[in-house]
Amino acid sequence: MVSSPEHVILNANLIPGGTIGSPWRRASQPGEHFVGIDHYVDVARAAERGFLDAVFLADSPNLQSKDWNSPSRLLDPLVAQAVISAHTEHIGLIATATTSYNDPYNLARQFASLSAVSRGRAGWNFVVTGGDAAARNYSLSEALPKQARYARAAEFLDVVSALWDSWTPDALHADKTTGSYLDSTKISAIDHVGATFRVAGPLKAPPLTDGRPILIQAGASTHGVELGARYADAVYSAHSTAESALTRRQELRDQAASAGRDPNSIKLLPGLIVVLADTETTALQREKELTDLIPDEVQAYNLGARLGVDAGELELDAPFPWHLVPPDEAAPGARGQLSVFLEYVRTQALDTRGAARLLAAGSGHAKVVGSPEQVADFIEAWFRSGSCDGFNVMMDELPSGLDTFVDHVVPLLQRRGLFRTEYRSTTLRGHYGL
């Protein structure tokens, strides 16, 4: 039986410069600093100073609309996390990689290597990539149909898991007396023959002496939820209310149980956007100032990209163009985040400018704009209600916003008995209580 962690899980989502996308314009560093490894290391060190569980690096295999006007994740996540591992000691290192355009043998080896160099701190955020733009970077004219993409993903995960299990942890015994370095009886071929992959194995990588890398899933479609319930240790999702998160958490647990898993072994970690200041009034002003740094034309461009329409079709000072909202199957990007965004727009009766500013300030996830006490209250309420197991924290500005979170929110959570006061584990699996 795997128990729930005694504390709320907190990952720092490493969005270069911050979630709102404008802090780079007022920073003392040059703009290119925010796509470099020094910035990544600064964020990771801030997270580790606050005893957070992991640094989370999302990724996509192609340039996207938002990448043109603010810093984006240009470094390969696995390379970046490998460097971060050399500059940290405890923080977990979650890297995103797609099952749609990778090879399972190569990816199994890369994550096993990251686990080895970080001594068990690795996590793989597996995503299933749609969209023809990404496909054209991999010698394809269009993406596979959704069902085929998810069938490939399931087989991909089966192969990676088998490769990780192809060595027992004690297979490398390096016996100086006999001269035997590897114990051949503890390393086995997998001989996988499936619909998409043929992989003999065994894996050429150090044995996973600290356990497998953590598996994290991001995706809100029916196929995505099913895949997460079957394979994931944790699920990253978008929710605007505690009630919707609770529904998803129960759905995941029910499906995990149906798949023969302990339902407590899967953790729900919604995204949480945080704009933090001494008071709510000051935090609201901070959010406004950061949003104002994003020009109208960029806001319109980003809103058009989120809806899958040309920005020229949008008039900012007009009612929101509901007639342009795409059906679910045609929606660009993450459908879960789009649904949460549109629900905000609808419930707040926003016009097009209001929707564009909402998107610019970060949407698609739960959000707190306020004081340290308000942020801590929000985290405590969701966690104690059973709506989630923790959060992927998305600060408005990095690393300064995360420093403020560590200095003022983490101590409140610690005093309430919700968060660790020191690391009690050396591995990400241990941090998560798995």
Side-chain angles (χ1 to χ4, degrees):
M1 171 69 73
V2 178
S3 61
S4 296
E6 297 177 357
H7 62 83
V8 62
I9 293 170
L10 295 176
N11 300 328
N13 200 330
L14 207 168
I15 302 171
T19 298
I20 291 183
S22 62
W24 67 277
R25 296 190 66 194
R26 67 179 191 179
S28 60
Q29 302 97 331
E32 56 267 27
H33 169 79
F34 295 96
V35 297
I37 193 61
D38 290 342
H39 176 56
Y40 283 46
V41 170
D42 287 344
V43 174
R45 282 175 167 167
E48 186 166 78
R49 185 169 66 83
F51 309 114
L52 270 63
D53 293 83
V55 175
F56 185 100
L57 261 176
D59 190 48
S60 63
N62 59 294
L63 283 171
Q64 299 180 340
S65 60
K66 60 186 178 181
D67 299 332
W68 298 109
N69 298 303
S70 63
S72 63
R73 303 174 184 92
L74 300 183
L75 294 174
D76 180 280
L78 276 157
V79 173
Q81 292 288 32
V83 175
I84 290 171
S85 75
H87 292 271
T88 56
E89 295 181 1
H90 295 94
I91 195 82
L93 309 165
I94 299 171
T96 298
T98 179
T99 60
S100 300
Y101 304 114
N102 278 301
D103 179 88
Y105 186 89
N106 286 347
L107 214 57
R109 191 181 189 200
Q110 288 168 334
F111 274 100
S113 297
L114 178 61
S115 183
V117 300
S118 67
R119 295 178 175 85
R121 294 187 280 143
W124 172 24
N125 176 43
F126 62 88
V127 296
V128 180
T129 305
D132 297 340
R136 289 192 289 270
N137 287 334
Y138 295 90
S139 304
L140 300 171
S141 59
E142 60 185 16
L144 291 172
K146 173 168 280 191
Q147 187 168 351
R149 293 198 304 270
Y150 277 89
R152 173 190 168 94
E155 186 180 349
F156 194 113
L157 287 157
D158 285 337
V159 174
V160 168
S161 295
L163 287 167
W164 283 342
D165 290 343
S166 63
W167 290 50
T168 64
D170 58 346
L172 196 164
H173 60 181
D175 190 327
K176 292 184 178 181
T177 301
T178 65
S180 172
Y181 200 79
L182 298 178
D183 186 341
S184 61
T185 66
K186 297 180 179 180
I187 302 173
S188 304
I190 68 169
D191 294 324
H192 175 88
V193 178
T196 303
F197 303 110
R198 296 172 61 90
V199 182
L203 183 65
K204 184 179 181 182
L208 296 171
T209 54
D210 296 301
R212 288 185 183 183
I214 294 292
L215 292 177
I216 300 95
Q217 183 265 345
S221 69
T222 301
H223 291 85
V225 173
E226 291 175 352
L227 194 69
R230 181 175 168 186
Y231 293 99
D233 298 298
V235 170
Y236 171 38
S237 59
H239 298 281
S240 61
T241 67
E243 291 75 19
S244 68
L246 179 61
T247 299
R248 174 59 54 78
R249 187 171 185 246
Q250 190 58 55
E251 180 183 17
L252 285 167
R253 288 182 164 204
D254 289 345
Q255 291 197 28
S258 297
R261 299 181 59 192
D262 174 3
N264 291 320
S265 67
I266 187 165
K267 313 300 180 187
L268 182 69
L269 306 174
L272 175 61
I273 297 170
V274 177
V275 182
L276 185 60
D278 291 342
T279 66
E280 182 178 2
T281 300
T282 309
L284 288 167
Q285 180 61 30
R286 174 185 174 87
E287 181 184 41
K288 181 181 183 302
E289 290 173 357
L290 288 170
T291 306
D292 286 345
L293 282 173
I294 304 176
D296 283 358
E297 57 269 27
V298 173
Q299 293 187 30
Y301 177 79
N302 290 338
L303 178 59
R306 176 59 63 96
L307 298 177
V309 302
D310 189 280
E313 297 185 58
L314 302 174
E315 184 179 346
L316 288 179
D317 294 310
F320 186 78
W322 289 103
H323 63 285
L324 297 178
V325 174
D328 281 350
E329 290 303 320
R335 276 172 39 192
Q337 292 183 33
L338 178 60
S339 297
V340 173
F341 168 66
L342 293 174
E343 183 63 21
Y344 268 115
V345 172
R346 190 185 304 277
T347 57
Q348 298 180 37
L350 298 179
D351 61 6
T352 305
R353 182 180 295 277
R357 286 183 67 82
L358 174 66
L359 184 62
S363 67
H365 294 281
K367 186 176 184 180
V368 184
V369 182
S371 67
E373 290 77 10
Q374 288 173 299
V375 176
D377 288 347
F378 184 98
I379 291 172
E380 180 174 13
W382 279 47
F383 182 67
R384 291 202 188 280
S385 70
S387 296
C388 65
D389 299 278
F391 295 94
N392 265 355
V393 179
M394 306 162 69
M395 298 304 306
D396 58 343
E397 191 166 5
L398 288 173
S400 61
L402 186 58
D403 281 326
T404 304
F405 183 92
V406 164
D407 290 336
H408 297 284
V409 177
V410 167
L412 292 176
L413 297 174
Q414 290 170 335
R415 286 198 289 270
R416 300 179 191 189
L418 293 169
F419 200 62
R420 62 170 73 86
T421 56
E422 62 181 6
Y423 285 110
R424 297 185 178 90
S425 170
T426 60
T427 68
L428 179 56
R429 185 168 292 278
H431 297 347
Y432 275 19
L434 295 171

